[in-house]
Amino acid sequence: MPEGHTIHRLAEDHRELFAGRPVRASSPQGKFSDSAALIDGRELTSAEAHGKHLFLGFGATGWVHIHLGLFGKLGFGDAPAPPPTATVRLRLANPRAYADLRGPTTCALITDGEKAAIHERLGPDPLRAADDGEGAWERISRSRTSVAALLMDQKVIAGVGNVYRAEVLFRHGIDPYRAGRDLTRSEWDAIWSDLVTLMREGVRANRIDTVRPDHLPEAMGRPPRVDDHGGEVYVYRRAAQPCHICGTEIRTADLAARNLFWCPECQRR
Ligand SMILES: [Zn+2]
């Protein structure tokens, strides 16, 4: 599942390619035809993300709410757009570019009120400029649940997925099984501000890099990581490989329905 930086990047791409001009909208697959007809020919007025939710604004017509889920894909291309395949739920196109949405969990035309209700259900997002970690801390500091599970709970904090949770806990030396309420305020503040920095860099580079300069392949004289996720990481998908810092084998276990990765030596706190 894409993490929040990918969705914010998609919002940016929509703004850059489509905002301020009328777009043609269609649903070659047919499942979104009625709503596509309502936005067809309208101007894209805004595009924003909150966690893993993407919102495309069409003025008074409302918002297209998209959640990619596990299998959804959004692909862009230059105009002229080729004939769409029957799997395209929504195609947006203008004389410059097109965007094809396939296989999302959610693609719905919603009102301002419905959009507000979605924001209400989600925790603060490190990539939303107006958000801070306060709301997340209120929940975390009262919870017996492990910090690794809390970081994946979109009601607590929005946009963090499996890679960022594993990496940020490593970077702060925190045992992923520690209960939320045993985290100190200063530890939480450091985690939040690190997520803001790492995820902004993720939007910019369009991939996740979490390794400090001292631990990059060139600095350590080690081969670069080979993984379809790209980017240099400390623990994610590195089970049974040696920790870049202490050499201990990275461990993995199932937590909150996803594989967790951590270094039992570096993450003792
Ligand atoms: Zn280690």
Side-chain angles (χ1 to χ4, degrees):
M1 173 148 3
E3 306 210 10
H5 71 296
T6 302
I7 310 304
H8 280 265
R9 174 76 179 223
L10 290 172
E12 269 183 22
D13 290 342
H14 276 88
R15 286 197 295 272
E16 193 185 312
L17 295 171
F18 300 110
R21 280 168 295 181
V23 293
R24 300 310 311 260
S26 59
S27 180
Q29 185 193 40
K31 284 191 182 174
F32 192 64
S33 296
D34 292 352
S35 298
L38 293 174
I39 57 172
D40 185 38
R42 310 234 172 237
E43 195 176 291
L44 180 78
T45 48
S46 57
E48 58 173 281
H50 187 163
K52 299 173 182 179
H53 299 256
L54 176 64
F55 301 96
L56 305 178
F58 291 89
T61 311
W63 299 84
V64 176
H65 169 219
I66 295 167
H67 192 294
L68 293 176
L70 274 178
F71 305 109
K73 293 255 179 314
L74 240 172
F76 299 92
D78 294 331
T85 62
T87 56
V88 175
R89 180 80 56 93
L90 171 64
R91 168 173 282 187
L92 297 179
N94 66 16
R96 184 176 159 209
Y98 70 96
D100 281 348
L101 171 67
R102 289 183 172 84
T105 298
T106 305
C107 174
L109 187 61
I110 61 171
T111 63
D112 287 341
E114 289 166 330
K115 177 172 177 277
I118 294 166
H119 290 302
E120 197 61 35
R121 288 203 305 270
L122 293 169
D125 177 342
L127 288 170
R128 284 174 74 86
D131 288 4
D132 60 38
E134 202 58 44
W137 172 247
E138 275 171 32
R139 283 170 171 265
I140 289 168
S141 59
R142 291 191 266 115
S143 179
R144 293 163 197 264
T145 303
S146 69
V147 64
L150 289 165
L151 283 176
M152 293 288 275
D153 183 344
Q154 302 296 302
K155 297 187 296 299
V156 174
I157 178 170
V160 174
N162 208 20
V163 190
Y164 282 122
R165 81 149 166 192
E167 293 298 308
V168 81
L169 290 174
F170 180 91
R171 284 168 60 95
H172 295 269
I174 290 169
D175 179 343
Y177 289 98
R178 220 164 115 193
R181 64 180 189 180
D182 295 334
L183 215 60
T184 66
R185 179 66 203 241
S186 63
E187 281 170 335
W188 171 248
D189 289 344
I191 288 173
W192 173 268
S193 87
D194 205 22
L195 284 169
V196 171
T197 306
L198 290 172
M199 291 175 75
R200 278 188 188 155
E201 178 59 22
V203 176
R204 196 194 60 74
N206 208 12
R207 65 177 208 180
I208 298 178
D209 286 288
T210 60
V211 166
R212 296 186 174 98
D214 288 357
H215 305 127
L216 284 171
E218 313 83 76
M220 294 182 69
R222 63 177 173 85
R225 176 171 181 247
V226 180
D227 187 292
D228 59 11
H229 276 259
E232 284 293 332
V233 294
Y234 285 109
V235 292
Y236 179 69
R237 282 195 183 169
R238 294 197 65 248
Q241 295 178 47
C243 173
H244 290 326
I245 293 182
C246 74
T248 301
E249 267 191 17
I250 301 301
R251 289 182 61 184
T252 186
D254 190 70
L255 201 151
R258 303 289 296 278
N259 289 327
L260 171 69
F261 302 87
W262 79 103
C263 172
E265 184 62 31
C266 292
Q267 295 175 254
R268 288 168 166 270
R269 280 198 290 153

